[in-house]
Amino acid sequence: MAVIERRDVYGLGEPWHPILRAYALAIGRMKALSASDPRSLAYQASVHGFRSESDPPPDRFRGQCQHNCWYFLPWHRWYLHYYERIIRSLLAEIDEVPDEVAESWALPYWNYARDAGAAKLPPEFASPTLWDGRRNPLFDDTRLPEVNDRSAALDRVQTVPGRGVLDQPFSALTSGVATFGGTASGWHHFREPGAVAGGLEGTPHNDVHGFVGGNMWRFATAGLDPVFWLHHCNIDRYWEMRGHDADPTGWADVSFDFRTETGAAVRVDADGCV
């Protein structure tokens, strides 16, 4: 059985590493699929947001992102999990991708705090063309121009959680307490009274979305930018750095709905991602 490991995109060690070649080819395939196909990039972006965040979700699969509450981290972890499964299923159909790459592929994470160079958009995402001159599916022309030409870099204070955030309680029952993961709430889609984002959702999460701009700036389009997924892998990594000893109890009372790589509907408990 293949070992699946997320790696630092800036630690891959070579331009157009096989992991990024495979990702670009998979994204190209996802962009070509119908928006009604759960494997398409358009559908996956709509799982996160649909039209306006103030609109009711259109169904139990789309417009489901959890923000400004304690479900922010578990919901996005499940989202990443099923997205990676979809990518691996598509890679198995692409002749250019070696079998060993397809079987073990995982999203890399963008550790923008690694060093000064890593605070810029990874170069493979900034190039309009692939290694062989074909159009690059990882390039998103809606990003801020200075991000795509790599003249802009994140400030150090935007790339790491604020002082003490990793040691704060995961959640709290009231909005007056600073937390790592957000205030306790019910299923939340921007309409839960008293729900407040945790420190990690503020920085670096929100800061990086704003830095990249374009599609990344809106809930309904963020997933259209292939770098969105690397960004959220890094946010998820901070949860692992903190550890799970102080995770809250009670999550199992809320479930999330996703579609697998076959289109099958699945319902998962919030705490099942740990």
Side-chain angles (χ1 to χ4, degrees), residues 30-273:
M30 293 177 79
K31 287 182 175 181
L33 294 172
S34 166
S36 62
D37 189 324
R39 300 173 302 163
S40 71
L41 193 64
Y43 189 97
Q44 286 299 303
S46 73
V47 170
H48 189 261
F50 192 84
R51 298 196 181 113
S52 170
E53 58 267 23
S54 62
D55 292 337
D59 54 38
R60 71 182 199 271
F61 302 108
R62 296 174 297 160
Q64 300 290 310
C65 66
Q66 299 287 299
H67 283 272
N68 304 321
C69 72
W70 65 342
Y71 291 120
F72 168 70
L73 286 167
W75 185 88
H76 282 84
R77 178 169 285 188
W78 279 120
Y79 189 30
L80 292 169
H81 170 72
Y82 285 108
Y83 180 79
E84 284 179 321
R85 284 177 49 166
I86 289 168
I87 294 283
R88 281 192 292 273
S89 73
L90 293 171
L91 292 178
E93 302 171 359
I94 300 174
D95 292 339
E96 280 185 72
V97 180
D99 290 344
E100 62 271 19
V101 174
E103 292 168 4
S104 63
W105 189 89
L107 280 162
Y109 57 88
W110 179 15
N111 180 13
Y112 15 74
R114 176 187 176 101
D115 53 44
K120 297 182 178 181
L121 186 74
E124 290 85 354
F125 292 76
S127 172
T129 58
L130 294 175
W131 57 91
D132 58 4
R134 285 177 291 176
R135 185 175 180 179
N136 182 9
L138 302 183
F139 182 77
D140 186 332
D141 62 7
T142 72
R143 299 177 191 131
L144 294 174
E146 60 270 27
V147 171
N148 269 335
D149 68 19
R150 305 188 76 241
S151 62
L154 285 152
D155 189 278
R156 175 70 180 178
V157 298
Q158 297 175 298
T159 62
V160 295
R163 185 181 299 275
V165 167
L166 291 176
D167 298 318
Q168 288 172 349
F170 190 103
S171 60
L173 296 175
T174 66
S175 58
V177 178
T179 67
F180 168 75
T183 52
S185 73
W187 192 100
H188 180 68
H189 193 74
F190 306 98
R191 289 179 293 277
E192 190 75 17
V196 177
L200 186 66
E201 186 176 351
T203 302
H205 173 262
N206 290 349
D207 289 338
V208 173
H209 274 276
F211 168 77
V212 174
N215 281 329
M216 279 276 277
W217 189 238
R218 294 186 60 243
F219 292 103
T221 59
L224 294 174
D225 189 333
V227 86
F228 164 88
W229 306 90
L230 277 70
H231 169 41
H232 269 276
C233 278
N234 197 49
I235 297 301
D236 190 76
R237 183 178 69 91
Y238 277 119
W239 190 12
E240 285 303 297
M241 290 171 61
R242 170 189 163 92
H244 296 288
D245 290 345
D247 284 351
T249 58
W251 274 346
D253 293 335
V254 167
S255 298
F256 307 128
D257 292 290
F258 291 95
R259 290 196 181 276
T260 71
E261 66 276 14
T262 67
V266 291
R267 175 163 291 178
V268 293
D269 291 338
D271 63 354
C273 68

Side-chain angles (χ1 to χ4, degrees), residues 16 19-29 130-131 136-138:
W16 284 115
I19 289 174
L20 293 179
R21 288 189 179 216
Y23 188 37
L25 295 172
I27 291 293
R29 187 70 62 93
L130 294 175
W131 57 91
N136 182 9
L138 302 183

